[in-house]
């Protein structure tokens, strides 16, 4: 059996009603586990009492740490900040909303002891909105054909990572983070644990349809340049088709003269090409937008307050900037 410290990173945004319940379940779970543990709540600019509840807990219990952002920077940044500030030999990432069952922690640790660097919880879609589930499965089917890394439907951030895996992730300093892809990109031995989906009881999901759409685009664009290439191929195909069309029509005109003004074909061609051009411009714009944000090199997030002492974890401890890290600023 291994020993050491397990760190749990919990991104929290407006989860005031869930924090204490989650802490109690975690505490209960760890009472039967021979590892030390620390819990790091990352308050992602909540507008309710989340920070208050976390601070109350942190004052009462020494192994509860927190980082509080100056505003909402998004879950990806909360996880990234977590990785930079924990010091565990293994790190678990889980949601604050009780949708990630604490009873999986024992199987996680078992997987870790067996030598796996990533032990991944994969949920089914029981109880989920049917349309959302259907669209998600279509999306995962498409994305796995497009991107080079393997992205599983139902396998999200809820997982245990060994220190080696966390250190590898810390090397991926990009601002526009798509964790699912990054977890897959680092590779290493992985074990999957299946579990039944849990429906959220308190608070609301922060994912609106447009959030999900943007996340979906991030997933595709962050991991390859195939969409750009698709634009090139579509353009090339249409160019070739139109050259053949022009050539054939020229021959007909030379033989028979102009038969009809061809209103329909002209309009169709203009609309079709206009559409393709706009889509292509949009795709190029997605990439340029990302280059634009990455070149700004803004901090990834700003910390308003924390009880993690500087020097703990992997945080940058240079004087004056220990609370500021690079980030993608949405
Ligand atoms: N979250 C966050 N920042 C955000 C949105 C969400 O830290 O901007 C946290 C949230 O508090 C929860 C986790 O990320 O702990 C998952 O969020 P949510 O339940 O809304 O996502 P879903 O389970 O619907 O995918
Ligand atoms: Mg949730």
């Amino acid at each position: 059996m291994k020993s050491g410290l397990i760190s749990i990173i919990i991104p929290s945004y407006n989860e005031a009603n869930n924090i204490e319940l989650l802490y109690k379940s975690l505490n209960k779970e760890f009472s039967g586990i021979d590892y030390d543990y620390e819990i790091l709540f990352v308050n992602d600019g909540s507008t309710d009492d989340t920070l208050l509840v976390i601070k109350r807990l942190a004052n009462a219990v020494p192994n509860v740490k927190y980082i509080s952002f100056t505003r909402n920077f998004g879950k990806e940044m909360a996880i990234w900040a977590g990785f930079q500030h924990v010091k565990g030999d293994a790190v678990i990432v889980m949601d604050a909303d009780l949708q990630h069952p604490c009873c999986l922690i024992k199987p996680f640790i078992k997987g870790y002891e067996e030598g796996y660097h990533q032990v991944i919880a994969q949920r089914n879609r029981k109880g989920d909105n049917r349309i959302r589930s259907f669209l998600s499965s279509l999306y995962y089917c498409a994305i796995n054909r497009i991107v080079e890394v393997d992205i599983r439907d139902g396998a999200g951030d809820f997982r245990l990572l060994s220190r080696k895996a966390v250190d590898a992730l810390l090397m991926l300093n990009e601002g526009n983070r798509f964790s699912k892809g990054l977890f897959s990109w680092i590779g290493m031995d992985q074990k999957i644990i299946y579990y039944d989906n849990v429906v959220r009881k308190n608070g609301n999901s922060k994912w609106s349809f447009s959030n999900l759409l943007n996340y979906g685009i991030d997933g595709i664009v962050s991991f390859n340049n195939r969409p750009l290439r698709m634009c090139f191929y579509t353009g090339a195909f249409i160019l070739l088709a139109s050259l053949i069309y022009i050539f054939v029509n020229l021959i007909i005109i030379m033989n028979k003269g102009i038969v009809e003004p061809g209103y329909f074909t002209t309009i169709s061609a203009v609309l079709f090409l206009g559409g393709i051009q706009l889509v292509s411009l949009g795709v190029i714009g997605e990439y340029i937008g990302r280059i634009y944000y990455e070149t700004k090199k803004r901090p990834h997030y700003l910390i308003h307050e924390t009880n993690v002492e500087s020097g703990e974890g992997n945080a940058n401890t240079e004087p004056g900037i220990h609370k500021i890290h690079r980030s993608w600023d949405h």
Side-chain angles (χ1 to χ4, degrees):
M1 203 194 81
K2 294 187 184 179
S3 63
L5 178 72
I6 307 238
S7 301
I8 304 157
I9 299 172
I10 307 176
S12 315
Y13 177 54
N14 293 347
E15 305 283 3
N17 294 329
N18 293 323
I19 301 287
E20 274 179 10
L21 290 171
L22 177 61
Y23 172 73
K24 277 185 191 144
S25 331
L26 279 173
N27 199 24
K28 201 165 138 214
E29 200 59 35
F30 270 94
S31 63
I33 296 174
D34 283 334
Y35 283 83
D36 291 332
Y37 72 103
E38 63 169 4
I39 302 175
L40 176 65
F41 287 101
V42 184
N43 174 38
D44 184 16
S46 301
T47 48
D48 67 355
D49 287 339
T50 303
L51 180 60
L52 213 73
V53 180
I54 294 174
K55 279 168 86 172
R56 202 160 55 212
L57 202 62
N59 284 336
V61 196
N63 64 344
V64 171
K65 310 274 184 215
Y66 68 89
I67 291 172
S68 184
F69 287 170
T70 54
R71 66 165 173 87
N72 179 258
F73 282 91
K75 182 183 175 185
E76 297 284 350
M77 287 311 140
I79 296 175
W80 170 244
F83 285 147
Q84 288 185 312
H85 287 83
V86 289
K87 47 184 186 337
D89 303 295
V91 176
I92 293 173
V93 182
M94 70 190 292
D95 285 359
D97 57 8
L98 309 169
Q99 283 187 284
H100 291 166
C102 293
C103 60
L104 289 191
I105 288 178
K106 278 190 187 129
F108 274 177
I109 292 175
K110 188 165 170 277
Y112 170 60
E113 289 177 342
E114 286 164 3
Y116 290 98
H117 289 283
Q118 297 201 52
V119 190
I120 306 160
Q122 183 170 335
R123 71 180 173 106
N124 54 27
R125 292 202 168 265
K126 238 186 207 173
D128 256 10
N129 176 308
R130 283 198 184 178
I131 300 175
R132 184 172 160 174
S133 305
F134 174 70
L135 290 177
S136 297
S137 43
L138 269 186
Y139 172 71
Y140 281 101
C141 196
I143 196 174
N144 277 311
R145 278 169 199 275
I146 299 173
V147 302
E148 290 85 13
V149 292
D150 178 31
I151 293 173
R152 286 165 166 267
D153 185 9
D157 308 315
F158 186 28
R159 61 184 69 212
L160 175 143
L161 300 153
S162 68
R163 173 45 57 190
K164 193 173 167 190
V166 173
D167 286 344
L169 286 166
L170 282 168
M171 286 195 280
L172 311 181
N173 190 27
E174 62 209 65
N176 175 29
R177 302 187 76 75
F178 181 69
S179 283
K180 280 187 188 185
L182 298 176
F183 288 143
S184 178
W185 189 87
I186 61 166
M188 303 195 196
D189 293 340
Q190 306 181 355
K191 182 179 182 183
I192 310 273
I193 293 171
Y194 298 91
Y195 73 103
D196 272 350
N197 185 33
V198 181
V199 180
R200 193 187 243 277
K201 290 191 189 76
N202 295 319
N204 298 316
S205 169
K206 281 84 194 175
W207 292 97
S208 63
F209 182 72
S210 68
N211 283 149
L212 280 173
L213 198 65
N214 286 332
Y215 186 69
I217 294 175
D218 274 348
I220 294 173
V221 177
S222 307
F223 270 85
N224 69 94
N225 60 358
R226 244 176 249 184
L228 277 178
R229 196 154 300 161
M230 261 153 48
C231 289
F232 175 78
Y233 285 135
T234 320
F237 173 74
I238 292 190
L239 188 67
L240 195 71
S242 54
L243 282 177
I244 294 172
Y245 176 82
I246 291 167
F247 182 69
V248 170
N249 271 282
L250 262 181
I251 291 180
I252 294 173
I253 289 168
M254 280 194 299
N255 288 332
K256 296 187 183 169
I258 294 175
V259 192
E260 251 182 58
Y263 177 77
F264 174 71
T265 40
T266 316
I267 292 292
S268 331
V270 168
L271 287 179
F272 185 60
L273 281 177
I276 298 235
Q277 279 167 353
L278 282 179
V279 170
S280 308
L281 271 179
V283 171
I284 295 166
E286 281 293 327
Y287 287 96
I288 294 178
R290 275 162 177 74
I291 297 167
Y292 169 68
Y293 280 110
E294 294 288 350
T295 51
K296 285 187 189 216
K297 300 209 179 300
R298 281 189 186 160
H300 285 182
Y301 56 84
L302 295 175
I303 296 180
H304 178 58
E305 55 179 307
T306 175
N307 68 346
V308 182
E309 284 158 30
S310 51
E312 276 190 61
N314 297 282
N316 186 344
T317 50
E318 284 175 52
I321 59 165
H322 66 282
K323 283 188 177 177
I324 299 178
H325 304 275
R326 291 196 176 153
S327 174
W328 167 269
D329 192 60
H330 289 281

